[in-house]
C-alpha cells in the first residue's frame, strides 16, 4: 500500500520494488493466495465513505481508463482502443466509479475490468486467469449500470451522475438512469450523437425532462435530450475529443448556463482522475488473475480514500467526532 503512493524504493514498474526485495512474489501473494476478503474490505470502505463524506447531495462519476500492458497473459489484456492515448494498443480497460462528496472530496469506490469477447470464448484464457464461470460479456454501459445499482443499494443518493465512456450501448445506460430518476451528464462522440437521431424522439419517458439544444450542424425533430456542442477538445494523450454532451435534468428544463456549469464540473472530474492516477499508481501491479486485479484495485481504493480523509481539516474531524 505504501508502494501505491510511491513511498517504497525501487525503479521497477511494480509496487514490490523494495530495496531488499528483488522479486514481486510478496506482493503477488497478497493479491492472489493470501487469506483476505476483498469484497468485505470494499463493504467496510463504503461504510467509512458514508460516515465521513455522507451519501446525499453528492455526485457519482463513472469513467473508463486504460492500462498499457505487455504480452497477452494478464486478465482482460487485448489490442483495443485506448481512451487515454487515442490509439489501438495492447492494454486493459477498466470502468471506475468515484463519489464526489458535497465538501469536494473525490473518493474511489468501485472498479470493474472490461472483458473483451475474445477472453470469454476462450476456455484456456479463462482458466489461466481464474475468471469465475458466471462472468459473461458486458458492455461498458452494462458495467456502469451495475455500478450505479450497487451504489444505490449501499445507500448513496446522488444529485447527479457523470459519465465519460466510449461505448455503443449507451442507450442501455441512459434508460436505466431515467428509470431510476437520476439526472445525468454524458459525454458523446460525434458518432454517438448522430445515433440519437430518430431513436428517442417518441420515447414518452423523456417528455417531462428533455429540452432541445443546439445540434451539431443539423436539426432534429421530436423530444431530444439537451445536447450542446463541445468547442473545447481534450488534449491528445489525456482524453479523446468529445464533440457533444447529453444532459437530462430531474423533471425540469436545463438552462444553457446550467449546462455549461455541469460540463465544466465534468472536466474538473476528469482532471481529478488524472491526479488520482498519478497519486496512487493504479497500474503498478504484476498479477494476471481476475481476483488479483480486483484485490489490487481494492487496496488502491483504501489508499485513495485514506488520502482524501487526510486532506480534511482538523475542524471537520472534530465536528464528525462530536
Amino acid at each position: 500500500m505504501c508502494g501505491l503512493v510511491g513511498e517504497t524504493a525501487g525503479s521497477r514498474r511494480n509496487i514490490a520494488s523494495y530495496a531488499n526485495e528483488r522479486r514481486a512474489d510478496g506482493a503477488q501473494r497478497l493479491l492472489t493466495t493470501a487469506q483476505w476478503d476483498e469484497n468485505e474490505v470494499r463493504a467496510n470502505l463504503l461504510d467509512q465513505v458514508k460516515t465521513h463524506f455522507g451519501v446525499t447531495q453528492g455526485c457519482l462519476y463513472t469513467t473508463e481508463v486504460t492500462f498499457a500492458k505487455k504480452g497477452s497473459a494478464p486478465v482482460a489484456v487485448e489490442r483495443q482502443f485506448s481512451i487515454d492515448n487515442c490509439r489501438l494498443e495492447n492494454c486493459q480497460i477498466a470502468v471506475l466509479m468515484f463519489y464526489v462528496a458535497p465538501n469536494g472530496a473525490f473518493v474511489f469506490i468501485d472498479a470493474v475490468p472490461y472483458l473483451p469477447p475474445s477472453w470469454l470464448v476462450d476456455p484456456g484464457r479463462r482458466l489461466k486467469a481464474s475468471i469465475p464461470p458466471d462472468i459473461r460479456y458486458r458492455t461498458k454501459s452494462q458495467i456502469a449500470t451495475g455500478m450505479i445499482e450497487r451504489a444505490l443499494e449501499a445507500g448513496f443518493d446522488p444529485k447527479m451522475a457523470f459519465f465519460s465512456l466510449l461505448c455503443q450501448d449507451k442507450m442501455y445506460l441512459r434508460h436505466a438512469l431515467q428509470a431510476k430518476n437520476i439526472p445525468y451528464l454524458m459525454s458523446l462522440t460525434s458518432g454517438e450523437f448522430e445515433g440519437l437521431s430518430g431513436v428517442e424522439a417518441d420515447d414518452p419517458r423523456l417528455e417531462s425532462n428533455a429540452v432541445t439544444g443546439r445540434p451539431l450542424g443539423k436539426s432534429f425533430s421530436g423530444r431530444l435530450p439537451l445536447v450542446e456542442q463541445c468547442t473545447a477538445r481534450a488534449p491528445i494523450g489525456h482524453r479523446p475529443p468529445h464533440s457533444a454532451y447529453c444532459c437530462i435534468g430531474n423533471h425540469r428544463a436545463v438552462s444553457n448556463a446550467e449546462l455549461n456549469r455541469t460540463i465544466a464540473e465534468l472536466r474538473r472530474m476528469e482532471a481529478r482522475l488524472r491526479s488520482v492516477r498519478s497519486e496512487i499508481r493504479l497500474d503498478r501491479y504484476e498479477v494476471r488473475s481476475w481476483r488479483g486485479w480486483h484485490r489490487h484495485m481494492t487496496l488502491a481504493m483504501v489508499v485513495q480514500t485514506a488520502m482524501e480523509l487526510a486532506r480534511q481539516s482538523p475542524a471537520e474531524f472534530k465536528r464528525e467526532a462530536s
Side-chain angles (χ1 to χ4, degrees):
M1 292 172 75
C2 290
L4 284 172
V5 291
E7 294 298 324
T8 56
S11 58
R12 285 169 51 190
R13 184 176 179 81
N14 69 81
I15 64 174
S17 300
Y18 298 99
N20 61 348
E21 186 174 345
R22 295 185 178 182
R23 300 178 62 180
D25 295 5
Q28 287 182 343
R29 179 183 178 278
L30 175 65
L31 298 176
T32 54
T33 60
Q35 299 300 305
W36 61 281
D37 189 337
E38 61 276 12
N39 293 321
E40 184 177 353
V41 171
R42 290 195 186 194
N44 291 337
L45 182 63
L46 284 180
D47 289 339
Q48 293 295 320
V49 172
K50 291 187 290 185
T51 298
H52 290 287
F53 302 115
V55 294
T56 61
Q57 298 305 308
C59 299
L60 295 174
Y61 170 54
T62 307
T63 185
E64 67 176 280
V65 299
T66 53
F67 306 128
K69 295 292 178 182
K70 294 182 179 179
S72 59
V75 65
V77 164
E78 191 65 87
R79 183 168 175 78
Q80 50 198 335
F81 185 78
S82 168
I83 193 173
D84 296 302
N85 297 322
C86 296
R87 65 170 182 262
L88 287 173
E89 63 180 359
N90 206 57
C91 63
Q92 292 171 324
I93 294 178
V95 181
L96 311 183
M97 175 176 280
F98 293 82
Y99 176 60
V100 187
N103 67 352
F106 190 73
V107 191
F108 187 16
I109 63 171
D110 205 351
V112 176
Y114 168 75
L115 278 173
S118 58
W119 273 83
L120 295 168
V121 299
D122 188 331
R125 297 182 90 181
R126 291 190 66 133
L127 180 63
K128 287 182 179 180
S130 301
I131 299 174
D134 61 325
I135 298 298
R136 298 291 182 263
Y137 176 72
R138 292 189 296 167
T139 66
K140 297 167 193 173
S141 288
Q142 290 172 329
I143 293 173
T145 300
M147 288 179 158
I148 290 289
E149 291 174 348
R150 283 195 295 276
L152 296 180
E153 289 173 359
F156 289 89
D157 184 18
K159 66 178 182 180
M160 193 160 192
F162 295 79
F163 299 89
S164 291
L165 300 170
L166 283 180
C167 181
Q168 297 180 351
D169 189 31
K170 283 184 180 171
M171 195 66 65
Y172 181 94
L173 175 59
R174 289 156 58 86
H175 285 171
L177 292 166
Q178 290 160 20
K180 299 178 185 301
N181 291 319
I182 300 177
Y184 65 86
L185 178 75
M186 190 176 298
S187 59
L188 304 172
T189 64
S190 58
E192 290 169 339
F193 175 79
E194 295 293 337
L196 294 177
S197 176
V199 175
E200 297 177 324
D202 297 321
D203 190 338
R205 285 173 291 189
L206 302 182
E207 183 172 8
S208 61
N209 60 358
V211 182
T212 303
R214 296 198 305 269
L216 298 178
K218 63 187 297 186
S219 61
F220 293 131
S221 61
R223 298 181 298 272
L224 284 176
L226 180 63
V227 181
E228 284 289 304
Q229 184 171 359
C230 173
T231 56
R233 292 181 177 271
I236 297 299
H238 293 290
R239 313 295 288 174
H242 288 108
S243 58
Y245 291 92
C246 174
C247 183
I248 293 290
N250 191 9
H251 299 287
R252 62 182 178 83
V254 180
S255 67
N256 285 339
E258 183 179 359
L259 177 65
N260 290 333
R261 288 194 298 270
T262 307
I263 292 174
E265 190 170 352
L266 174 61
R267 291 174 180 164
R268 285 192 292 270
M269 292 177 187
E270 292 175 342
R272 293 287 298 276
L273 169 65
R274 292 193 291 271
S275 176
V276 166
R277 290 194 63 167
S278 175
E279 285 181 341
I280 62 174
R281 294 160 172 78
L282 281 176
D283 61 340
R284 297 191 73 173
Y285 53 89
E286 284 192 352
V287 292
R288 297 180 175 182
S289 69
W290 174 267
R291 188 178 190 184
W293 189 95
H294 280 83
R295 284 185 162 191
H296 170 82
M297 287 299 166
T298 299
L299 295 181
M301 291 176 201
V302 173
V303 169
Q304 196 271 335
T305 301
M307 295 176 72
E308 284 297 320
L309 285 170
R311 292 188 181 103
Q312 289 193 89
S313 67
E316 287 186 87
F317 277 115
K318 185 176 180 180
R319 184 169 59 252
E320 289 171 1
S322 63

